[in-house]
Amino acid sequence: MLELDLSAEIQALRHTFGDISEVVDVNRLREDIARLSEEAGAPDLWDDTENAQKVTSALSHRQSELARITGIAQRLDDLEVLVDLANEMGDEDSAIEARNELGTLTYLINQLEVQTLLDGEYDERSAIVTIRSGAGGDDATDFAEMLMRMYLRWAERHKYPVKVMDTSYAEGAGIKSATFEIDAPYAFGTISVEAGTHRLARISPFGSADKRQTSFAAVEVIPLMEEATEVDIPENDIRVDVFRSSGPGGQSVNTTDSAVRITHLPTGIVVSMQNEKSQIQNRAAAMRVLQNRLLLLQKEQEAAKKKELAGNITASWGDQMRSYFLYGQQLVKDLRTGQESGNPAAVFDGDLDDFISAGIRWRKRRDDDD
């Protein structure tokens, strides 16, 4: 006779989920949703387009977060019913379904638990990700494009809206750089652990000698601010260049000089935008990203100064934070956390959750020790 007993596992999940719910504060979420819903229903909401977008985006994010919490709570209840049904009917198919659902809920609650570790000043914001090719010629620009696809596939798996803001194609393979926005709750806190230098080692598909080639790409992640008003940028501190947008291989995709490149002269930071329809729109988008980068730089400098005064100067990131080996032993290894995967193809297809979760936990431990 079938006797399926998952009570201990379900009780452990309920305990963890209860702790998470207290941290998330479901009542506060509902109050925020009620307030934002009232604001979103105002007849004059769209008289101020920027504020309207901020209100509707915040409402959507909080509704999504509440739906995630309530959905898991309902599935825990349904799992207990399914276990009872399997035992009453002696149904092996229901028992298999219950075990599978237990595994899924364990994964979902673990992911939710990781989110509770995201308590940084900007963690709950959307993210702007920039990828730049480094040393390694065509292999590096190809690697940069592989990383871009990896993050876009990761976002797609989670149904996170993505907007590609700029892509600079290499003359040979791949891209020189790309910038895209991930619009989701806690996107910055989540994906910011991917910032750093990534290293690829493989037999180069671009050389004739079948030799191993090592190449590098850099990933930068900054939070998206509703308004980056804390940073004032004098006009004489920037140089603005306009140029014609182009596609892969130098193919023209725009017959007007609508693309914009802004160089911040004091810091050397360069921001390019070409995906909007007009030069004015591209300039506005570029200025917004520049303000965000300068704000983050300002925060980092303040934090570094505090560490210096405390006599504890340690680099947050090494020269490389993750290596991808595509020859011999197929392996992806994070050098900070020790997290590994023997399936690089899956990782490059967006299977990043284990690496990101390990990174968030590692960062939390590091910050607590500082």
Side-chain angles (χ1 to χ4, degrees):
M1 179 180 178
L2 176 68
E3 185 173 348
L4 179 65
D5 185 7
L6 301 180
S7 56
E9 292 93 333
I10 294 174
Q11 185 60 32
L13 282 182
R14 283 198 178 278
H15 179 74
T16 301
F17 183 66
D19 291 342
I20 293 169
S21 298
E22 286 186 18
V23 174
V24 172
D25 194 346
V26 175
N27 289 333
R28 177 189 57 79
L29 261 182
R30 289 195 170 97
E31 290 171 0
D32 287 349
I33 289 171
R35 174 180 54 80
L36 289 166
S37 296
E38 186 175 349
E39 292 181 25
D44 59 349
L45 174 69
W46 290 97
D47 290 350
D48 183 344
T49 304
E50 186 173 342
N51 180 65
Q53 291 174 339
K54 184 169 71 171
V55 169
T56 54
S57 177
L59 176 60
S60 175
H61 287 177
R62 283 162 176 77
Q63 287 174 330
S64 175
E65 191 172 358
L66 180 62
R68 188 180 180 190
I69 294 286
T70 55
I72 289 175
Q74 183 61 55
R75 288 177 69 168
L76 279 170
D77 291 341
D78 292 344
L79 175 59
E80 290 185 327
V81 173
L82 185 60
V83 170
D84 290 342
L85 179 65
N87 286 325
E88 288 175 9
M89 304 295 294
D91 184 2
E92 184 60 37
D93 287 341
S94 294
I96 293 172
E97 184 182 350
R99 293 190 188 97
N100 289 338
E101 178 67 355
L102 177 67
T104 300
L105 282 171
T106 300
Y107 171 79
L108 291 175
I109 290 173
N110 284 341
Q111 291 297 307
L112 196 60
E113 185 180 22
V114 168
Q115 183 178 308
T116 64
L117 303 178
L118 302 179
D119 55 2
E121 184 176 1
Y122 304 118
D123 280 355
E124 67 177 11
R125 297 183 183 274
S126 297
I128 297 174
V129 181
T130 297
I131 300 169
R132 294 187 180 86
S133 62
D138 285 344
D139 280 279
T141 53
D142 185 53
F143 181 35
E145 187 168 40
M146 292 166 65
L147 289 179
M148 179 182 179
R149 180 185 182 276
M150 179 177 77
Y151 292 121
L152 294 181
R153 288 286 292 122
W154 172 80
E156 182 182 330
R157 284 171 175 236
H158 290 276
K159 296 181 172 56
Y160 295 158
V162 173
K163 177 182 179 183
V164 178
M165 307 171 78
D166 179 69
T167 308
S168 175
Y169 292 95
E171 294 180 2
I175 59 173
K176 296 178 182 177
S177 65
T179 299
F180 51 93
E181 175 188 329
I182 301 177
D183 181 21
Y186 293 93
F188 173 70
T190 302
I191 202 69
S192 58
V193 295
E194 291 292 298
T197 301
H198 296 241
R199 170 178 174 256
L200 172 68
R202 65 176 174 178
I203 302 300
S204 173
F206 304 103
S208 57
D210 290 333
K211 292 183 178 179
R212 192 186 80 178
Q213 175 70 37
T214 299
S215 54
F216 298 87
V219 176
E220 174 194 82
V221 186
I222 62 173
L224 179 66
M225 311 295 182
E226 287 89 352
E227 295 181 16
T229 54
E230 296 178 51
V231 178
D232 180 43
I233 305 177
E235 195 67 26
N236 58 4
D237 277 0
I238 62 173
R239 184 179 71 243
V240 181
D241 300 304
V242 296
F243 57 98
R244 186 165 298 178
S245 302
S246 63
Q251 176 186 0
S252 175
V253 296
N254 196 325
T255 57
T256 62
D257 293 336
S258 61
V260 172
R261 180 186 300 110
I262 298 179
T263 304
H264 186 248
L265 301 175
T267 63
I269 293 174
V270 179
V271 178
S272 297
M273 290 293 155
Q274 62 174 318
N275 284 34
E276 301 293 347
K277 293 181 180 179
S278 73
Q279 185 183 127
I280 293 175
Q281 289 173 314
N282 278 319
R283 178 181 171 120
M287 282 297 294
R288 188 178 185 188
V289 172
L290 177 59
Q291 286 178 313
N292 281 297
R293 284 186 178 168
L294 289 174
L295 181 59
L296 191 62
L297 178 62
Q298 177 182 306
K299 297 290 184 182
E300 289 173 349
Q301 289 172 340
E302 290 173 356
K305 183 63 176 176
K306 289 178 181 177
K307 285 189 176 183
E308 182 181 353
L309 293 173
N312 179 24
I313 305 174
T314 57
S316 297
W317 302 88
D319 289 336
Q320 86 190 53
M321 47 78 74
R322 185 177 301 147
S323 293
Y324 306 76
F325 300 97
L326 300 186
Y327 72 96
Q329 180 186 11
Q330 303 281 301
L331 181 69
V332 179
K333 181 177 178 65
D334 194 293
L335 305 181
R336 307 157 305 167
T337 67
Q339 184 72 32
E340 294 183 0
S341 170
N343 189 352
V347 174
F348 279 119
D349 196 42
D351 187 9
L352 282 173
D353 284 345
D354 288 343
F355 284 96
I356 289 174
S357 295
I360 291 172
R361 294 182 189 280
W362 167 83
R363 181 175 60 190
K364 183 65 174 178
R365 290 194 301 269
R366 180 202 64 185
D367 291 346
D368 288 345
D369 290 340
D370 286 347

